[in-house]
Amino acid sequence: MNHRSSSRAQSTVQARAPRLLLGALATFAMMLGIAGAGAATAAADTVIDTIPVGNAPQGVAITPDGTFAYVANAQANSVSVVDTGTNMVVGAPIPVGPSPFGVAITPNGTRAYVTNNFSNSVSVIDTGTNIPITTVTVGNFPAGVAITPDGALAYVANFGDNTVSVIDTGTNMILGVPIPVGNGPVGVAITPDGALAYVTNNFSGTVSVIDTDTDTVVGAPLPVGGFPNGVAITPDGTRAYVTNFGDNTVSVIDTGTNTVVGVPIPVGSNPQGLAITPDGKRAYVTNLGSTTVSVIDTGANAVVETVSVGNEPFGVAITPDGTRAYVTNRDDDTVSVIAIKKCLGSLCFGSLAGAGSLVGGGSTGSGGTGSVAGGGSLAGAGSAGSAGS
């Protein structure tokens, strides 16, 4: 074969390669029971289960091994533990302080930290026994809580004090003095390298950035939208996403420059909680006022899907394998389980979660653990966190 014939043959093979790949993907889709590549492209995230928990569930976090979800029940003063393999509540509710709000789990999975909004404290739960082992006194009306990647520190936003408390998780003692931030701090998220903590200031419409080495605020507060609540950081640490409860939008912060980038992303009514998938490609936003979850493509920074869930969706956490999102429905006393579709480029396959997720799992990743998703004015009897409502 001469050089020209060889080149023509090679070009033919190269031209066929994408079609062969698509054909293989279509076959794979059919094997998954999705009726071909065309249907796979249109596959949508789907609620596959609804789990009854305690009264007014708010914060939620998933253990690092993905086996359990911990749900704070605000009006039951308890935490429910959900087995993510069966999507059933296991054991009796764990008693904590009045109006539990946020939940964070240590990277080694041995402790859950729960903020008690009405008792100015944090309950520390031994996840091996599901028994509270101590209570740490913090500031007034603690809301969001996040734990550093090394598991050494827990940062707690004190809504009523305009401060952040830092807990040494080894001793469960408060370190130093509370860190002054903006008015009405709610959500907290920590960068993957542990260097910075981002705190939403609900009444100020800003985000404060804390240097975790010095526990001081760096730079001026970053202006975002109205009544910011939830905050989550992408796995690569380059972006922070903030829900603006009063504006029905999500702001995006470049963590390298600490500037807001682009225009606010329109979502549903009264966005509250926020979690980002482990691959960083999607952000899930709970819309408290519209019984939906908005799914943001973080590449385009646009909503690509809206999923209907229960009434007053509040917190959200995503499993470490990225196959499921757990959403607390505050007015329904339930948790919705969303099966997340899998995408390869523009070709997406419906997740096999439930009737079968590709892999079981859980996540303390960005937004689930570190950013328990926002609060609000925290006013009102027994129902913390409805800013602007």
Side-chain angles (χ1 to χ4, degrees):
M1 180 180 293
N2 60 33
H3 175 72
R4 182 176 299 175
S5 299
S6 175
S7 297
R8 185 182 299 117
Q10 184 176 3
S11 297
T12 302
V13 171
Q14 290 173 341
R16 288 177 178 171
R19 286 178 287 175
L20 291 171
L21 175 60
L22 288 174
L25 290 172
T27 302
F28 179 60
M30 292 178 68
M31 290 171 64
L32 296 181
I34 305 177
T41 303
D45 291 352
T46 307
V47 174
I48 58 168
D49 221 333
T50 301
I51 308 164
V53 287
N55 292 342
Q58 297 194 143
V60 55
I62 299 174
T63 53
D65 63 4
T67 55
F68 296 105
Y70 283 70
V71 178
N73 304 310
Q75 293 181 7
N77 303 333
S78 69
V79 170
S80 294
V81 182
V82 175
D83 183 325
T84 59
T86 62
N87 283 335
M88 301 284 289
V89 172
V90 294
I94 304 168
V96 289
S99 194
F101 187 96
V103 186
I105 298 175
T106 54
N108 64 8
T110 63
R111 298 288 186 269
Y113 284 71
V114 180
T115 57
N116 302 309
N117 195 243
F118 287 177
S119 65
N120 306 335
S121 66
V122 173
S123 293
V124 183
I125 297 170
D126 182 327
T127 58
T129 61
N130 282 336
I131 296 173
I133 57 173
T134 192
T135 301
V136 184
T137 300
V138 289
N140 290 329
F141 299 106
V145 53
I147 297 174
T148 53
D150 62 5
L153 304 172
Y155 283 72
V156 178
N158 302 311
F159 182 88
D161 283 351
N162 304 330
T163 63
V164 171
S165 294
V166 183
I167 301 172
D168 181 327
T169 60
T171 62
N172 284 322
M173 302 289 289
I174 296 293
L175 291 179
V177 297
I179 306 164
V181 287
N183 293 332
V186 175
V188 188
I190 298 172
T191 52
D193 62 5
L196 300 173
Y198 285 72
V199 180
T200 58
N201 303 309
N202 187 266
F203 288 163
S204 298
T206 62
V207 171
S208 295
V209 183
I210 296 172
D211 182 324
T212 58
D213 280 338
T214 61
D215 281 339
T216 57
V217 172
V218 294
L222 309 177
V224 286
F227 300 107
N229 277 341
V231 56
I233 297 172
T234 54
D236 64 5
T238 62
R239 296 287 188 271
Y241 284 72
V242 176
T243 59
N244 302 310
F245 187 95
D247 289 352
N248 303 332
T249 63
V250 169
S251 295
V252 184
I253 297 170
D254 182 324
T255 59
T257 60
N258 278 334
T259 55
V260 175
V261 294
V263 297
I265 306 165
V267 289
S269 176
N270 303 135
Q272 184 78 18
L274 185 69
I276 298 174
T277 53
D279 62 9
K281 293 181 179 180
R282 296 286 188 269
Y284 283 69
V285 178
T286 58
N287 302 308
L288 188 76
S290 57
T291 67
T292 61
V293 171
S294 296
V295 183
I296 296 173
D297 180 328
T298 58
N301 279 336
V303 172
V304 292
E305 192 173 357
T306 301
V307 183
S308 294
V309 288
N311 290 327
E312 294 190 2
F314 196 94
V316 55
I318 296 173
T319 55
D321 61 8
T323 62
R324 284 168 289 165
Y326 284 72
V327 177
T328 59
N329 302 308
R330 193 172 67 176
D331 195 46
D332 284 352
D333 304 335
T334 63
V335 172
S336 294
V337 184
I338 300 173
I340 299 174
K341 67 185 174 219
K342 292 294 183 181
C343 296
L344 179 60
S346 62
L347 188 64
C348 295
F349 302 95
S351 170
L352 300 181
S357 166
L358 292 175
V359 187
S363 176
T364 61
S366 301
T369 297
S371 161
V372 180
S377 69
L378 306 180
S383 176
S386 54
S389 57

